[in-house]
């Protein structure tokens, strides 16, 4: 059973620095070099030195351990270090871990990072390859023999059911792709800068796994992104307006799998994100209609629609129309479909820019942003405020 009351973390930590490498398809350097470049850029953005850092958080499935990055970046002693599991589902949870550390005094300044050559090196989109024996691997044995070998094929099962249940066609997913690419087109850091998208172009793109087309699937990116988290008190003396962590949550649903939760009673929602949504609203004291921007994890377009419904922005089955109306600014950096696929960390950075007032596609007087991490797996989310 998940929590049923607000927690006490809200307001006790803030994101004060953001830094990234170039987003590319072939970085030409090691993942450690990418991580260090992103970490140093985030510290410089905050106006801090490596010696100020006493904590580090990253993901599993990362080739650059905390102590190695710390050494290469010139960071000294660490009193806190942590890794979060489940791929892209870990993104917002890295900030939650950092916030827990600074709120409890285990550390004062924590760097969260993710860096990989996800295009020129290991490609997550290629699916299951050479897995070590594990309980997770055994669970995949129920789907792999039937041809469900890649993340796109796993998501396609739920996406097909969603369309069937609500009487929709695959074009419903195109609205997410079009909005993301609209913002990416004006973002110089985005891979698809200068290349907006139409619904017709979405519908003409080739099938990957029906009902998913090529433009329903996020890109693969080489790069790194880092964030600096500290206490609100320390944040007052730093370079930029802090993005306060008003709420942070993790969530796993009943019968949760890793992208293959096909034995639930209903495949048209994301119960893991429902757990996160309830906790974020409880702790922040805010409502969906009070969000100025939403940065929703968009590895696949159908799961953006389901997230909007789990968070209560619109009724079930109506998210495609909600996105098309553009009532809520969504993925204003271009998302992982349009900017870069950094397992959601670049989405957190966009939320910080919106709250600072420095985003390329700035939303006027932005004061509250919802950010989510990868869905289909145990996941996480944040509400950041000025």
């Amino acid at each position: 059973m998940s929590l049923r009351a607000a927690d006490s973390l809200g307001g006790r930590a803030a994101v004060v620095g953001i830094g990234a490498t170039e987003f590319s398809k072939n970085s030409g350097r090691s993942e450690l070099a990418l991580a260090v470049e992103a970490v140093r850029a985030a510290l410089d953005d905050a106006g801090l030195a490596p010696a100020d850092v006493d904590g580090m958080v990253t993901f599993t499935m990362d080739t650059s351990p905390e102590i190695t990055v710390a050494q290469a970046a010139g960071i000294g002693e660490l009193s806190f270090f942590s890794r979060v599991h489940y791929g892209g589902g870990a993104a917002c949870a890295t900030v939650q871990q950092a916030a827990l550390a600074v709120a409890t005094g285990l550390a004062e300044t924590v760097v969260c990072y993710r860096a990989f050559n996800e295009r020129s090196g290991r490609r997550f989109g290629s699916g299951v390859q050479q897995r070590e024996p594990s309980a997770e691997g055994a669970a995949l044995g129920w789907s792999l023999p039937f041809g469900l070998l890649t993340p796109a094929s796993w998501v396609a099962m739920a996406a097909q059911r969603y369309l069937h249940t609500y009487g929709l066609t695959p074009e419903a997913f195109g609205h997410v792709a079009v909005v993301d690419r609209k913002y990416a087109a004006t973002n110089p850091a985005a891979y698809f800068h200068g290349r907006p998208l139409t619904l017709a172009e979405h519908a003409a793109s080739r099938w990957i796994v029906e009902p998913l087309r090529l433009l329903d699937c996020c890109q693969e990116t080489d790069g790194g992104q880092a964030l600096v988290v500290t206490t609100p008190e320390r944040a007052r003396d730093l370079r930029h307006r802090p993005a306060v962590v008003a709420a942070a949550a993790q969530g796993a649903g009943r019968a949760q799998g890793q992208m293959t939760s096909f034995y639930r009673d209903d495949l048209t929602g994301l119960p893991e994100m429902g757990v996160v949504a309830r906790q974020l609203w409880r702790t922040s004291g805010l409502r969906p209609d009070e969000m100025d921007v939403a940065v929703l994890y968009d590895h696949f377009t159908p799961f953006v629609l389901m997230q909007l419904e789990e968070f209560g922005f619109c009724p079930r089955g109506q998210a495609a129309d909600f996105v098309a109306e553009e009532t809520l600014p969504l993925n204003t950096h271009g998302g992982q479909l349009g900017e870069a696929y950094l397992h959601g960390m670049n989405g957190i950075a966009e939320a910080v820019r919106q709250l600072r007032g420095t985003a390329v596609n700035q939303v006027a007087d932005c004061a509250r942003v919802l950010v989510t991490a990868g869905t289909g797996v145990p996941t996480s989310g944040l509400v950041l405020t000025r």
Side-chain angles (χ1 to χ4, degrees), residues 262-303:
F262 302 139
Y263 300 97
R264 291 169 167 168
D265 294 335
D266 182 9
L267 294 184
T268 64
L270 296 167
E272 63 275 7
M273 195 55 81
V275 174
V276 170
R278 291 190 294 274
Q279 195 60 21
L280 291 181
W281 298 145
R282 276 191 292 253
T283 298
S284 69
L286 298 169
R287 306 183 308 271
D289 62 2
E290 293 179 289
M291 294 297 105
D292 298 310
V293 174
V295 181
L296 303 185
Y297 198 98
D298 55 338
H299 49 347
F300 298 99
T301 56
F303 280 0

Side-chain angles (χ1 to χ4, degrees), residues 317-328:
Q318 296 184 26
D321 290 339
F322 180 84
V323 173
E325 292 166 1
E326 296 192 49
T327 304
L328 174 70

